[in-house]
Amino acid sequence: PKPLSAWSGGGRIGHGSAAESAVADYAAGRGGAGSIGPKVLDGVFCFGADFAESLAKANAAKGSDDDRAKVLGMLKAADAYVQVKQFHDAAREVEAAQSLIAQLRFDEGRACAMVVVANIYSRQGKLSTEEQLDEALDLASDAQEKFQKFGSKKCEAAALLALALARHTLKKHEEGNSAAKEAQLLLQGVGDRAAEAEVYHLVADGYLMQGNARRAAKMVSQARSIQVELGDKAKEAACCHRLGEIEVEGLEEQKALATLSVAQDLYKELRDCVGEAAVLNTLKEHYLKKGKLNLAIETLQRVVTLYNHAGETKKEGGALVALTELLIEKEQLTLAERTVQAAMKVCSNIRDGEGVVKATNLTNTIKNALLKREVQKSIGEYGHFANYPLHPVIDFGLNRQIPEAFGEVAKGFEP
């Protein structure tokens, strides 16, 4: 969006850390009076923390009577949205903060916004122009200098990570790794191991952009080691899932299947049905690429069950639609018919218009396929009695009759 360019002249923190609560504490009047200090600023960025928790803390700050706390809450929400790739929502939050920052002359808020905008430009892929990617470099670099003056180490690390990502996106990979290393040293200095793990994920992104899956896998393995050390099984499971995805792309099939199995077991232990379903979806895509349609269908059936248990109705409907498509491809039309009926019911109940349209189209596809099968069967059974050809050519002599007809019409116009 055009208003974002006005920021020319993010990072994240550990799950459940004291710094992450600082923004909400300040909003509630527990941060003391006067200017906003480094501790409060350090709570703006999420650094891989749980999305729902980060958003809850952001909303608490947005409900404050203090306009500066509102701004930081908006920017924390924006950073959380960037993490889950909801860029439109992130841009909306930044734009809402823009007018308040200008009114308050809130330099700390402006610097935080610059990091968020840089991350939006770098992460939204082909939606960004070359000009925006260049701007992301400038925004992140300027923000880092500002945070050095403000004394916020984590915000400075956030700016460095935004700078690293922008450089990687522009294929300046060595410079990107250099900025990431600086961020890692800052985070080691403040003792935030959870945030340090996120640095490894960003470096892995850079290696993937270069097509170096092996190095990327090593980086994610380093991040996993930190999560094991911290005892965070949810993050460990996420690392295993990502590691399996990278290994699959790197054509290390057996290694990938073993890693994905570990991820699945961890999610089962956590009773995280959605996480387990995500792993199975990765396996399903792998089986499809390998042409193993039966395994893909079996895996997707398990995904449907998991989404049902988790109460994720929209995702369940989407999985049923995807399952129907595979069953049609396998020509299991009777089962496909039952599956699409279930998909239609689920999508209708939650008023998922897109899902209903897809289910309707698949219903018509199945009807046509069943009709074609019935016609072929009838021809096969009765064709020898009727002596009816499979590909009939009907000729009523129109080629001869049409010129004669035009000739008769032409006579009517003769004087």
Coordinates of all heavy atoms in Angstrom, one line a residue, residues 68-121:
R68 N 0.8 6.4 23.0 CA 2.0 5.7 22.6 C 1.9 4.2 22.8 O 2.4 3.4 22.0 CB 3.2 6.3 23.4 CG 3.5 7.7 23.1 CD 4.7 8.2 23.8 NE 4.4 8.2 25.3 CZ 5.3 8.5 26.2 NH1 6.6 8.9 25.8 NH2 5.0 8.5 27.5
A69 N 1.2 3.8 23.9 CA 1.0 2.4 24.1 C 0.1 1.8 23.0 O 0.3 0.7 22.5 CB 0.4 2.1 25.4
K70 N -0.9 2.6 22.5 CA -1.7 2.2 21.4 C -0.9 1.9 20.1 O -1.1 0.9 19.4 CB -2.8 3.2 21.1 CG -3.9 3.3 22.1 CD -4.9 4.4 21.7 CE -6.1 4.4 22.7 NZ -7.0 5.5 22.3
V71 N 0.0 2.8 19.9 CA 0.9 2.7 18.7 C 1.7 1.4 18.8 O 1.8 0.6 17.8 CB 1.8 3.9 18.6 CG1 2.9 3.6 17.5 CG2 1.0 5.1 18.2
L72 N 2.3 1.2 19.9 CA 3.2 0.0 20.1 C 2.3 -1.3 20.0 O 2.8 -2.3 19.5 CB 3.9 0.0 21.4 CG 4.9 1.2 21.6 CD1 5.7 1.1 22.9 CD2 6.0 1.2 20.4
G73 N 1.1 -1.2 20.5 CA 0.2 -2.3 20.4 C -0.1 -2.6 18.9 O -0.2 -3.8 18.5
M74 N -0.4 -1.6 18.1 CA -0.7 -1.8 16.7 C 0.5 -2.4 16.0 O 0.3 -3.3 15.1 CB -1.0 -0.4 16.1 CG -2.3 0.2 16.5 SD -2.5 1.9 15.9 CE -4.0 2.4 16.7
L75 N 1.7 -1.9 16.3 CA 2.9 -2.4 15.7 C 3.2 -3.8 16.1 O 3.8 -4.6 15.3 CB 4.1 -1.5 15.9 CG 3.8 -0.1 15.3 CD1 5.0 0.9 15.7 CD2 3.7 -0.1 13.8
K76 N 2.9 -4.2 17.3 CA 3.1 -5.6 17.8 C 2.2 -6.5 17.0 O 2.6 -7.6 16.6 CB 2.9 -5.7 19.3 CG 3.2 -7.1 19.9 CD 3.0 -7.1 21.4 CE 3.4 -8.4 21.9 NZ 4.8 -8.8 21.7
A77 N 0.9 -6.0 16.9 CA 0.0 -6.8 16.1 C 0.4 -7.0 14.7 O 0.4 -8.1 14.1 CB -1.4 -6.2 16.1
A78 N 1.0 -5.9 14.1 CA 1.5 -6.0 12.7 C 2.6 -7.0 12.6 O 2.6 -7.8 11.6 CB 1.9 -4.6 12.3
D79 N 3.5 -7.0 13.5 CA 4.6 -7.9 13.5 C 4.1 -9.4 13.6 O 4.6 -10.3 12.9 CB 5.6 -7.6 14.6 CG 6.9 -8.5 14.5 OD1 7.5 -8.4 13.5 OD2 7.2 -9.2 15.5
A80 N 3.1 -9.6 14.5 CA 2.5 -10.9 14.6 C 1.9 -11.4 13.3 O 2.0 -12.5 12.9 CB 1.5 -10.9 15.7
Y81 N 1.2 -10.5 12.6 CA 0.6 -10.8 11.4 C 1.6 -11.1 10.3 O 1.4 -12.0 9.5 CB -0.3 -9.7 10.9 CG -1.7 -9.6 11.6 CD1 -2.1 -8.4 12.2 CD2 -2.5 -10.7 11.7 CE1 -3.3 -8.3 12.8 CE2 -3.7 -10.6 12.3 CZ -4.1 -9.4 12.9 OH -5.3 -9.3 13.5
V82 N 2.7 -10.4 10.3 CA 3.8 -10.7 9.3 C 4.3 -12.1 9.5 O 4.6 -12.8 8.5 CB 5.0 -9.7 9.5 CG1 6.2 -10.1 8.6 CG2 4.5 -8.3 9.0
Q83 N 4.4 -12.5 10.8 CA 4.9 -13.9 11.1 C 4.1 -15.0 10.4 O 4.6 -16.0 10.0 CB 5.0 -14.1 12.6 CG 6.1 -13.5 13.3 CD 6.3 -14.0 14.7 OE1 7.4 -14.0 15.2 NE2 5.2 -14.4 15.3
V84 N 2.8 -14.7 10.4 CA 1.8 -15.8 9.8 C 1.4 -15.4 8.4 O 0.5 -15.9 7.9 CB 0.6 -15.9 10.7 CG1 1.0 -16.5 12.1 CG2 -0.2 -14.6 10.9
K85 N 2.2 -14.5 7.8 CA 2.0 -14.1 6.4 C 0.7 -13.5 6.1 O 0.2 -13.7 5.0 CB 2.3 -15.3 5.5 CG 3.7 -15.9 5.6 CD 4.0 -17.0 4.7 CE 5.4 -17.6 4.9 NZ 5.7 -18.7 4.0
Q86 N 0.1 -12.8 7.0 CA -1.2 -12.1 6.8 C -0.8 -10.6 6.5 O -1.0 -9.7 7.4 CB -2.1 -12.2 8.0 CG -2.6 -13.6 8.2 CD -3.6 -13.8 9.3 OE1 -4.2 -12.8 9.7 NE2 -3.7 -15.0 9.9
F87 N -0.3 -10.3 5.4 CA 0.4 -9.1 5.1 C -0.7 -7.9 5.0 O -0.3 -6.8 5.3 CB 1.2 -9.1 3.8 CG 2.3 -10.2 3.9 CD1 2.3 -11.3 3.1 CD2 3.3 -10.1 4.8 CE1 3.2 -12.3 3.1 CE2 4.3 -11.1 4.9 CZ 4.3 -12.2 4.1
H88 N -1.8 -8.2 4.5 CA -2.9 -7.2 4.4 C -3.2 -6.7 5.8 O -3.3 -5.5 6.0 CB -4.1 -7.7 3.7 CG -5.2 -6.7 3.6 ND1 -5.2 -5.7 2.6 CD2 -6.4 -6.6 4.3 CE1 -6.3 -5.0 2.8 NE2 -7.0 -5.5 3.8
D89 N -3.4 -7.6 6.8 CA -3.7 -7.2 8.1 C -2.6 -6.5 8.8 O -2.8 -5.5 9.5 CB -4.0 -8.5 9.0 CG -5.3 -9.2 8.5 OD1 -6.3 -8.4 8.2 OD2 -5.4 -10.4 8.6
A90 N -1.3 -6.9 8.5 CA -0.2 -6.2 9.0 C -0.1 -4.7 8.5 O 0.1 -3.8 9.2 CB 1.1 -6.9 8.6
A91 N -0.3 -4.6 7.2 CA -0.3 -3.2 6.6 C -1.4 -2.3 7.2 O -1.2 -1.1 7.4 CB -0.5 -3.3 5.1
R92 N -2.6 -2.9 7.4 CA -3.7 -2.2 8.0 C -3.3 -1.6 9.4 O -3.6 -0.5 9.8 CB -4.9 -3.1 8.2 CG -6.2 -2.4 8.7 CD -7.2 -3.4 9.1 NE -6.8 -4.1 10.2 CZ -6.9 -5.5 10.3 NH1 -7.3 -6.2 9.3 NH2 -6.5 -6.1 11.4
E93 N -2.6 -2.5 10.2 CA -2.2 -2.0 11.6 C -1.2 -0.9 11.5 O -1.2 0.1 12.2 CB -1.6 -3.2 12.3 CG -2.6 -4.3 12.7 CD -3.6 -3.9 13.8 OE1 -3.4 -2.9 14.4 OE2 -4.5 -4.7 14.0
V94 N -0.2 -1.0 10.5 CA 0.8 0.0 10.4 C 0.2 1.3 10.0 O 0.5 2.4 10.5 CB 1.9 -0.4 9.4 CG1 2.9 0.7 9.1 CG2 2.6 -1.7 9.9
E95 N -0.7 1.2 9.0 CA -1.4 2.5 8.5 C -2.2 3.1 9.6 O -2.3 4.4 9.7 CB -2.2 2.1 7.3 CG -1.4 1.8 6.1 CD -2.2 1.2 5.0 OE1 -3.5 1.0 5.2 OE2 -1.7 0.8 4.0
A96 N -2.8 2.3 10.5 CA -3.6 2.9 11.6 C -2.7 3.6 12.6 O -3.0 4.6 13.2 CB -4.3 1.8 12.3
A97 N -1.4 3.1 12.7 CA -0.5 3.8 13.7 C 0.2 5.0 13.1 O 0.6 5.9 13.8 CB 0.6 2.8 14.0
Q98 N 0.1 5.2 11.8 CA 0.8 6.3 11.1 C 0.4 7.7 11.6 O 1.3 8.5 11.9 CB 0.6 6.2 9.6 CG 1.4 7.2 8.8 CD 1.2 7.0 7.3 OE1 0.5 6.2 6.9 NE2 2.0 7.8 6.5
S99 N -0.9 7.9 11.6 CA -1.3 9.3 12.0 C -1.0 9.6 13.4 O -0.5 10.7 13.8 CB -2.8 9.4 11.8 OG -3.5 8.5 12.6
L100 N -1.1 8.6 14.3 CA -0.7 8.8 15.8 C 0.7 9.1 15.9 O 1.1 10.0 16.7 CB -1.1 7.6 16.6 CG -2.6 7.5 17.1 CD1 -2.8 6.2 17.8 CD2 -2.9 8.7 18.0
I101 N 1.6 8.4 15.2 CA 3.0 8.6 15.3 C 3.4 10.0 14.8 O 4.2 10.7 15.5 CB 3.8 7.5 14.4 CG1 3.7 6.2 15.1 CG2 5.2 7.9 14.2 CD1 4.2 5.0 14.2
A102 N 2.7 10.5 13.8 CA 3.0 11.8 13.3 C 2.5 12.9 14.3 O 3.3 13.8 14.6 CB 2.3 12.0 12.0
Q103 N 1.3 12.7 14.9 CA 0.8 13.6 15.9 C 1.7 13.7 17.1 O 2.0 14.7 17.7 CB -0.6 13.2 16.3 CG -1.6 13.4 15.2 CD -3.0 12.8 15.6 OE1 -3.2 12.6 16.8 NE2 -3.8 12.5 14.7
L104 N 2.2 12.5 17.6 CA 3.0 12.4 18.8 C 4.4 12.7 18.6 O 5.2 12.8 19.6 CB 2.8 11.0 19.4 CG 1.4 10.6 19.8 CD1 1.4 9.1 20.1 CD2 0.9 11.3 21.0
R105 N 4.9 12.7 17.3 CA 6.3 12.8 17.0 C 7.0 11.7 17.8 O 8.1 12.0 18.5 CB 6.8 14.2 17.4 CG 6.2 15.3 16.6 CD 6.8 16.7 17.0 NE 6.2 17.7 16.2 CZ 6.5 19.0 16.3 NH1 7.4 19.4 17.1 NH2 5.9 19.9 15.5
F106 N 6.5 10.5 17.6 CA 6.9 9.4 18.4 C 8.0 8.6 17.6 O 7.8 7.7 16.8 CB 5.7 8.5 18.6 CG 5.9 7.3 19.5 CD1 7.0 7.2 20.3 CD2 5.0 6.3 19.5 CE1 7.2 6.1 21.2 CE2 5.2 5.2 20.4 CZ 6.3 5.1 21.2
D107 N 9.3 9.0 17.8 CA 10.4 8.5 17.0 C 10.6 7.0 17.2 O 10.9 6.2 16.3 CB 11.7 9.2 17.4 CG 11.7 10.6 16.8 OD1 10.9 10.9 15.8 OD2 12.5 11.4 17.3
E108 N 10.4 6.5 18.5 CA 10.5 5.1 18.8 C 9.5 4.3 18.0 O 9.8 3.2 17.4 CB 10.4 4.8 20.3 CG 11.5 5.4 21.1 CD 11.2 6.8 21.6 OE1 10.3 7.5 21.0 OE2 11.8 7.2 22.6
G109 N 8.3 4.8 18.0 CA 7.2 4.1 17.2 C 7.5 4.1 15.7 O 7.3 3.1 15.0
R110 N 8.1 5.2 15.2 CA 8.4 5.3 13.8 C 9.5 4.3 13.4 O 9.4 3.6 12.4 CB 8.9 6.7 13.4 CG 9.2 6.9 12.0 CD 9.7 8.3 11.7 NE 8.6 9.3 12.0 CZ 7.6 9.6 11.2 NH1 7.5 9.0 10.0 NH2 6.7 10.5 11.6
A111 N 10.5 4.1 14.3 CA 11.5 3.1 14.0 C 11.0 1.7 14.0 O 11.3 0.9 13.2 CB 12.6 3.3 15.1
C112 N 10.1 1.4 15.0 CA 9.5 0.1 15.0 C 8.7 -0.2 13.7 O 8.7 -1.3 13.1 CB 8.5 -0.1 16.2 SG 9.4 -0.1 17.8
A113 N 7.9 0.9 13.3 CA 7.1 0.7 12.0 C 8.0 0.5 10.8 O 7.7 -0.3 9.9 CB 6.3 2.0 11.8
M114 N 9.2 1.1 10.8 CA 10.1 1.0 9.7 C 10.5 -0.5 9.5 O 10.6 -1.0 8.4 CB 11.3 1.9 9.8 CG 11.0 3.4 9.7 SD 12.3 4.5 10.3 CE 13.6 4.2 9.1
V115 N 10.8 -1.2 10.7 CA 11.1 -2.6 10.7 C 10.0 -3.4 10.1 O 10.2 -4.3 9.3 CB 11.6 -3.0 12.1 CG1 11.8 -4.5 12.1 CG2 12.8 -2.3 12.5
V116 N 8.8 -3.2 10.6 CA 7.6 -4.0 10.2 C 7.4 -3.8 8.7 O 7.2 -4.8 7.9 CB 6.4 -3.5 10.9 CG1 5.1 -4.3 10.4 CG2 6.5 -3.8 12.4
V117 N 7.5 -2.6 8.2 CA 7.3 -2.3 6.7 C 8.4 -3.0 5.9 O 8.1 -3.6 4.9 CB 7.2 -0.8 6.4 CG1 7.1 -0.6 4.9 CG2 6.0 -0.2 7.1
A118 N 9.6 -3.0 6.4 CA 10.7 -3.6 5.7 C 10.4 -5.1 5.6 O 10.6 -5.7 4.5 CB 12.0 -3.4 6.4
N119 N 9.9 -5.7 6.6 CA 9.6 -7.1 6.6 C 8.4 -7.5 5.7 O 8.4 -8.5 5.0 CB 9.3 -7.6 8.0 CG 10.6 -7.9 8.9 OD1 11.6 -8.3 8.3 ND2 10.5 -7.6 10.1
I120 N 7.5 -6.6 5.6 CA 6.3 -6.8 4.7 C 6.8 -6.8 3.3 O 6.5 -7.7 2.5 CB 5.3 -5.7 4.9 CG1 4.6 -5.9 6.3 CG2 4.2 -5.8 3.8 CD1 3.6 -4.7 6.6
Y121 N 7.6 -5.8 2.9 CA 8.2 -5.7 1.6 C 9.0 -7.0 1.2 O 8.9 -7.5 0.1 CB 9.0 -4.5 1.4 CG 8.2 -3.2 1.3 CD1 8.8 -2.0 1.6 CD2 6.9 -3.2 0.9 CE1 8.1 -0.8 1.5 CE2 6.2 -2.0 0.8 CZ 6.8 -0.8 1.1 OH 6.1 0.4 1.1

